[in-house]
Amino acid sequence: MGLIQLLKSQFLSHLIFCYVFLASGLIVNLLQFCTLPLWLVSKKLARKINIRLCYCISSQLVVVLDWWSGTECTLYTDPKSYPLYGNENAIAVLNHCSEIDFLCGWTFCERFGVLGSSKVLAKQELRYLPIIGWMWYFLEIVFCKRKWEEDRRTVAESLQNLHDYPENFWFLLFCEGTRFTPKKHEVSMQVAESKGLPKLKYHLLPRTKGFWVTVQNLRGTAAAVYDCTLNFRNKQAPSLLDILNGKKYHADLYVRRIPLELIPEGEAECAAWLHKLYQEKDSFQEHYTQKGCFPGPTVTHPRRPWALINWILWACMLLYPLGLLLVQLVSSGSILIILVSVTVICAASLGGRWMIGQTETKRGSSYGNKEVPSKNN
């Protein structure tokens, strides 16, 4: 292990990342609350400001993968579609196989300049979580309760509110609903058999209702669906903690652009189309498993420096006063003050570790661990 790699794996390095992220995140949340009156005056301006404020937070997580870990990504896509990425609204359908799929999706958004405005379908409870949840609230993320009868209306309304969004955005969807595990796959394929659907080898059965509602309500707003299939070389399964320790991986991402007008409008027809899409994704995964690459040409897209510059600026603003404060605390000689300071540092560390723990596979959704009634699929 080299010296740089050793430093990356040290507790102090992790603590610095957690401190900068938590402190800057709370500052950004405060600034977002200050934009509330602006929404009444100029919705467009409020949205543009919040896009940039949200970038200040989400790009810090991208820095961990892109710059700290140094993880590489090879993009397989049609060169004719490549110029459109980042220049149109789109729905990105991603497979869900590892703990950092969401981070890879954000990195994909960052490479094409839509990270600050990217959207996801998130659990209702997350909107009350400081930093990420509050950031998403001001970014107009679509929240759901995973109760279809309630979600159908609220999700549709949230999506329709994006029709006049001032900047290009990608809506990221994990149609499988949860991360792939052998146990969930076994149960999912039992459901597929009971419904007379073709079995999948590398994916769970996709949840079609959420996809249909998304497509229907973004017609005329989104131009295409990006079918994204992600793999890590040598069958590696990275975790967020591995990335934070500076471990480098190499990802391969296969992206197909499918014009939205090619997707059927009827619910049943759209569901059949999505099942067919996942059969095709399965064939791409089979190709990757056998040959170690996806079919088609590769495109090189370099990292953008803005995420790293953002993190460096926040680190300079927050670490300098922290250093002065620590020097004053130590020089004060007060045992009580020093103990309180150590307690605060430990609490921040535990808070960061807790957030990392929420991405672990064992903490994933229980969906797929038991048979889901047909009305929910």
Side-chain angles (χ1 to χ4, degrees):
M1 179 184 291
L3 177 60
I4 294 179
Q5 187 62 39
L6 180 63
L7 290 173
K8 288 181 177 181
S9 64
Q10 296 305 301
F11 170 76
L12 181 60
S13 299
H14 301 170
L15 192 60
I16 289 173
F17 266 110
C18 289
Y19 165 72
V20 172
F21 178 76
L22 294 174
S24 63
L26 291 174
I27 292 172
V28 168
N29 283 163
L30 177 61
L31 293 173
Q32 289 180 302
F33 278 108
C34 292
T35 67
L36 283 173
L38 184 59
W39 287 85
L40 301 175
V41 179
S42 175
K43 182 179 178 181
K44 181 178 180 180
L45 180 58
R47 280 172 156 175
K48 284 180 172 289
I49 291 174
N50 275 284
I51 287 172
R52 279 139 190 87
L53 289 174
C54 290
Y55 182 84
C56 290
I57 297 178
S58 54
S59 65
Q60 293 187 46
L61 297 176
V62 170
V63 164
V64 178
L65 179 68
D66 230 2
W67 295 93
W68 182 255
S69 163
T71 292
E72 302 285 348
C73 181
T74 299
L75 177 64
Y76 293 77
T77 194
D78 183 356
K80 294 181 181 179
S81 299
Y82 178 77
L84 298 173
Y85 300 156
N87 294 310
E88 62 182 0
N89 297 332
I91 302 167
V93 177
L94 302 98
N95 60 320
H96 209 353
C97 59
S98 78
E99 295 178 6
I100 64 167
D101 289 337
F102 79 97
L103 192 51
C104 293
W106 279 7
T107 303
F108 182 36
C109 292
E110 162 59 16
R111 295 286 178 95
F112 292 95
V114 292
L115 175 61
S117 57
S118 64
K119 317 291 180 188
V120 296
L121 188 63
K123 292 186 293 185
Q124 177 75 16
E125 296 80 5
L126 292 177
R127 75 158 66 205
Y128 306 109
L129 185 68
I131 304 179
I132 294 293
W134 294 351
M135 172 192 78
W136 279 349
Y137 174 80
F138 283 96
L139 193 60
E140 300 172 85
I141 289 296
V142 180
F143 292 99
C144 65
K145 298 179 180 178
R146 293 190 175 182
K147 297 179 181 178
W148 176 242
E149 294 306 320
E150 297 181 38
D151 289 338
R152 182 169 187 155
R153 178 178 57 83
T154 56
V155 170
E157 290 176 354
S158 297
L159 291 168
Q160 288 169 11
N161 287 335
L162 301 177
H163 287 182
D164 60 346
Y165 207 71
E167 298 190 14
N168 291 326
F169 67 87
W170 291 355
F171 194 91
L172 309 183
L173 274 180
F174 294 96
C175 292
E176 294 165 272
T178 186
R179 297 187 192 98
F180 182 100
T181 66
K183 180 179 178 181
K184 291 177 180 179
H185 179 255
E186 180 182 358
V187 174
S188 182
M189 292 307 98
Q190 290 174 359
V191 175
E193 184 176 5
S194 69
K195 295 182 176 182
L197 296 170
K199 291 187 177 182
L200 304 172
K201 185 176 180 180
Y202 301 100
H203 299 85
L204 304 180
L205 204 63
R207 308 186 78 174
T208 61
K209 290 186 182 293
F211 176 78
W212 174 69
V213 167
T214 301
V215 169
Q216 287 302 100
N217 286 281
L218 288 182
R219 287 189 186 275
T221 302
V225 166
Y226 297 164
D227 173 31
C228 307
T229 306
L230 177 71
N231 261 319
F232 290 92
R233 295 186 181 178
N234 303 317
K235 298 182 178 180
Q236 293 178 310
S239 67
L240 189 55
L241 190 58
D242 291 333
I243 299 301
L244 196 57
N245 282 326
K247 187 174 181 180
K248 183 175 181 178
Y249 294 91
H250 197 128
D252 290 308
L253 181 64
Y254 182 61
V255 181
R256 291 189 301 164
R257 182 186 182 275
I258 305 170
L260 204 66
E261 58 266 22
L262 297 182
I263 301 175
E265 294 192 18
E267 183 175 354
E269 293 79 7
C270 184
W273 183 92
L274 184 63
H275 284 301
K276 184 175 183 296
L277 180 77
Y278 268 77
Q279 294 167 36
E280 294 171 355
K281 289 172 77 71
D282 232 39
S283 67
F284 300 145
Q285 287 280 32
E286 182 67 27
H287 185 282
Y288 188 91
T289 300
Q290 293 180 359
K291 300 187 177 181
C293 64
F294 286 114
T298 61
V299 177
T300 301
H301 193 82
R303 297 182 178 94
R304 301 186 336 142
W306 309 119
L308 181 61
I309 292 172
N310 171 74
W311 187 88
I312 292 174
L313 290 175
W314 279 111
C316 291
M317 287 190 293
L318 296 170
L319 291 176
Y320 178 70
L322 177 65
L324 292 179
L325 178 61
L326 291 176
V327 170
Q328 292 178 357
L329 291 175
V330 173
S331 61
S332 70
S334 172
I335 299 299
L336 178 60
I337 294 178
I338 293 175
L339 287 176
V340 171
S341 302
V342 171
T343 301
V344 171
I345 291 173
C346 290
S349 174
L350 290 174
R353 185 61 185 88
W354 176 83
M355 293 179 71
I356 293 173
Q358 301 311 299
T359 69
E360 294 175 353
T361 300
K362 62 183 180 182
R363 296 294 184 91
S365 166
S366 61
Y367 169 72
N369 285 331
K370 60 183 179 180
E371 186 167 335
V372 181
S374 59
K375 66 179 181 180
N376 291 332
N377 289 285

